[in-house]
Amino acid sequence: MLQAPSLLSLGACAVAAGVAAHVARRALLHRRSGTPALGFDAALARLSGSSVEDLILIVDFDRTLTDGDSAQCHDVIGATSLVPESLRAGFAPLLDFSDPAKVPYKGDAWWVRANELLLTHASRVLTPETVRRLVHEAPLFGTSTQPMQLRPGAARLLARLSELDVPVLIVSAGFADIIAAFLAARAVPLGSNVRVCSNLLVHDAASGQLTGIEPSPPITGCNKQLTFERNRDWFTTTHRRRRTLVVVGDSLGRRAAW
């Protein structure tokens, strides 16, 4: 578990490095062959010598900021009694990874299909108010063994980064609406230092009904290599002088993707 007090005393760079180690449960950076490229102690020493004014944190949401066994954004939105049975039935095979070979859609097509189901079966009920309720009533489903909950230390990390005005980019193949509602429900504010790069539910201003999902094509677990292009202004204009980048994810593949 993250030892927050000692890490906080080292500053935001060390905090981010500590969370990365806790999430990965192995060396911070590896080559794709599995040979260590930089051990945690060396990475921590390098980051501890960096200036907070140089730091940017890019962090995944599902099972990174949330716990490793938590329900994920698509579990929350597609497997609750708050949405129609027709949507739950359509989502069930998408969320069942007990036999990955039987998952009916692969790669980006999985997210495209999920969005189609939401727009077809949940446009009338998936209002902003329903989204706020979803984060309190997420069921156990698929590979989750507990409801969506924050990873220990994550709230303190975000609060400390906000205090230090360190830019944080939350990159998720889930839904920005779920992320914002979940954090707000747990009194974790998304400060001005935080940007969420995720799929966005578009609602009619008058009725609140779901009218679309942006962007199209969606942000998926297979196209996070487009993160820079999707946030070019954020990197090249708003934070162009920052040169220390920490990427935190729930697998080594996240590093390769970004």
Side-chain angles (χ1 to χ4, degrees):
M1 182 179 296
L2 174 64
Q3 299 299 313
S6 61
L7 286 175
L8 288 173
S9 67
L10 294 174
C13 294
V15 176
V19 173
H22 180 64
V23 170
R25 298 186 179 95
R26 62 185 74 184
L28 181 63
L29 298 176
H30 283 245
R31 296 190 181 93
R32 299 192 72 177
S33 65
T35 304
L38 187 63
F40 173 67
D41 290 341
L44 180 59
R46 181 179 297 182
L47 289 169
S48 298
S50 299
S51 167
V52 169
E53 287 73 25
D54 269 348
L55 179 66
I56 292 177
L57 177 68
I58 300 180
V59 60
D60 184 33
F61 180 75
D62 282 322
R63 300 189 174 178
T64 299
L65 287 177
T66 59
D67 191 84
D69 295 319
S70 287
Q72 303 185 60
C73 284
H74 283 82
D75 298 321
V76 170
I77 212 167
T80 169
S81 60
L82 295 178
V83 299
E85 170 59 31
S86 58
L87 177 65
R88 298 199 303 273
F91 256 72
L94 296 181
L95 298 176
D96 184 2
F97 292 95
S98 58
D99 184 352
K102 294 183 179 180
V103 177
Y105 295 87
K106 310 295 183 183
D108 292 346
W110 189 96
W111 281 265
V112 171
R113 178 56 179 162
N115 287 357
E116 290 173 348
L117 289 168
L118 290 171
L119 291 169
T120 300
H121 298 284
S123 61
R124 293 186 178 182
V125 301
L126 201 55
T127 64
E129 174 58 30
T130 301
V131 169
R132 287 188 287 270
R133 291 181 60 193
L134 284 173
V135 299
H136 295 285
E137 302 184 29
L140 300 180
F141 202 90
T143 58
S144 64
T145 59
Q146 61 191 22
M148 182 180 281
Q149 64 181 33
L150 282 169
R151 183 179 293 276
R156 299 181 70 178
L157 169 68
L158 292 174
R160 182 59 172 154
L161 293 170
S162 179
E163 290 173 5
L164 296 171
D165 199 28
V166 172
V168 177
L169 182 64
I170 298 175
V171 181
S172 173
F175 296 96
D177 313 72
I178 293 292
I179 293 169
F182 173 79
L183 293 176
R186 285 146 187 84
V188 181
L190 289 177
S192 59
N193 64 310
V194 178
R195 171 182 283 197
V196 179
C197 177
S198 188
N199 299 294
L200 182 66
L201 303 176
V202 180
H203 296 98
D204 179 79
S207 67
Q209 292 185 7
L210 180 68
T211 59
I213 301 174
E214 297 179 347
S216 181
I219 297 171
T220 78
C222 306
N223 63 24
K224 287 186 176 179
Q225 73 275 11
L226 300 175
T227 295
F228 176 79
E229 290 302 323
R230 290 174 177 139
N231 300 276
R232 178 179 286 273
D233 63 317
W234 195 81
F235 284 108
T236 63
T237 302
T238 309
H239 303 300
R240 66 185 182 278
R241 298 187 184 279
R242 294 179 180 261
R243 292 293 182 267
T244 302
L245 180 67
V246 177
V247 178
V248 183
D250 60 322
S251 70
L252 296 175
R254 300 303 186 204
R255 178 179 66 87
W258 290 326

